[in-house]
Amino acid sequence: MKKFGVVTLMGAPNAGKSTLLNAILGEKLSIVCHKRQTTRTRVAGILTEGNTQTLIVDTPGIFFDTKRKLDKAMVSAAWQATFEAHLIFLIVDVKASYLKEDITKIIAKLESVSDKVVLILNKIDLFKDKSSLLSLTKELSEAFPFKDVFMVSSKKKEGVGRLVSFMKKNMPDGEWMYPEDQLTNLSERFLTAELTREVLLHQLHEEVPYGLTVHTEQWETFDNGDVKIFQMICLERVSHKAIVLGKKGQKIKHIGVLARQEISKALGCRVHLKLHVKVDEKWQDKPDFFHDLGLDPS
Ligand SMILES: Nc1nc2c(ncn2[C@@H]2O[C@H](COP(=O)(O)OP(=O)(O)OP(=O)(O)O)[C@@H](O)[C@H]2O)c(=O)[nH]1
Ligand SMILES: [Mg+2]
């Protein structure tokens, strides 16, 4: 008998949700950064092992002081992803105790689906003395009837195997929804735009990376297997353009080199990457942008 189910990874920004998705899949699918609000939409990976197929959905971090339309759409996408899940993994960064208030608010909203919620304490590699984790586990377990509790390091891939076994065991009987060798429901165009955005997140500071979006506009494949990709980096402020381009265009050149390396690694072929930069102060108001990301702009 085959099994199929959906697992949603949720939690506060920066908890390590995307890192955990990549660790479970053994592939880099969702972009990762030490800055908050890296993931902007639901990113689904597919794990097919033995008779079980699991759709694992990474979501944007949940926070409560949402101001921009994009923030609201991101957080709403994360909540929506919990409705369809057979299991909800609530990822908590064990070092971010300052976030406890937000975690309390998140678990209050999970009350009605409490039988599906599993607590994942992440980043345990940052603790030498693991016994200090017990008080956090106790505190959270007293606040909410979690189905189970796991301690992992997504970065070091510690505890991930045990979590995957648990996940597979808890999937319901059902026909697979995807071919056995499919890893994601993301398009290559989206995935490669995300890799460029990841480089921009790491290379740019303050508000600049939050006010930009990357779109793959054109894709050519050559007979020798090389691909040529044209991407547009859209900025929301004129003043950001000089920062992204850098002196004599050095910054964007460097970003292009790094992004090309990442994309080439992901696609497994030689890549020619052409980056263009434009300013559109209103990109966050355009319904097309939200639709491309699978977000609801309302
Ligand atoms: N030391 C340590 N760092 C981790 C671990 N997991 C994730 N990180 C780091 O935490 C930061 C955030 O990781 P992400 O995976 O982007 O977090 P996220 O929850 O997806 O963040 P958003 O998409 O912004 O909500 C990155 O710098 C990761 O390298 C871990 O197990 N140990
Ligand atoms: Mg993320």
Side-chain angles (χ1 to χ4, degrees), residues 119-137:
L119 176 64
I120 315 280
L121 297 170
N122 187 34
K123 309 196 188 182
I124 58 163
D125 56 293
L126 297 175
F127 275 99
K128 279 218 164 62
D129 175 14
K130 306 267 193 284
S131 64
S132 54
L133 288 168
L134 294 177
S135 60
L136 179 63
T137 312

Side-chain angles (χ1 to χ4, degrees), residues 11-20 30-40 58-62 91 93 122-126 152-157 202:
N14 227 31
K17 301 174 292 298
S18 303
T19 309
L20 180 61
S30 197
I31 63 169
V32 167
C33 184
H34 57 284
K35 293 173 186 157
R36 293 161 57 94
Q37 298 171 41
T38 299
T39 307
R40 284 184 173 167
D58 180 21
T59 61
I62 290 182
I91 326 290
D93 175 345
N122 187 34
K123 309 196 188 182
I124 58 163
D125 56 293
L126 297 175
V152 303
S153 165
S154 303
K155 198 171 180 171
K156 304 255 155 92
K157 299 199 171 79
H202 284 274

Side-chain angles (χ1 to χ4, degrees), residues 264-282:
S264 180
K265 206 159 46 170
L267 297 177
C269 66
R270 257 168 61 107
V271 169
H272 308 263
L273 179 65
K274 299 273 171 220
L275 296 177
H276 299 273
V277 180
K278 78 168 181 188
V279 178
D280 177 354
E281 291 176 3
K282 296 263 183 281

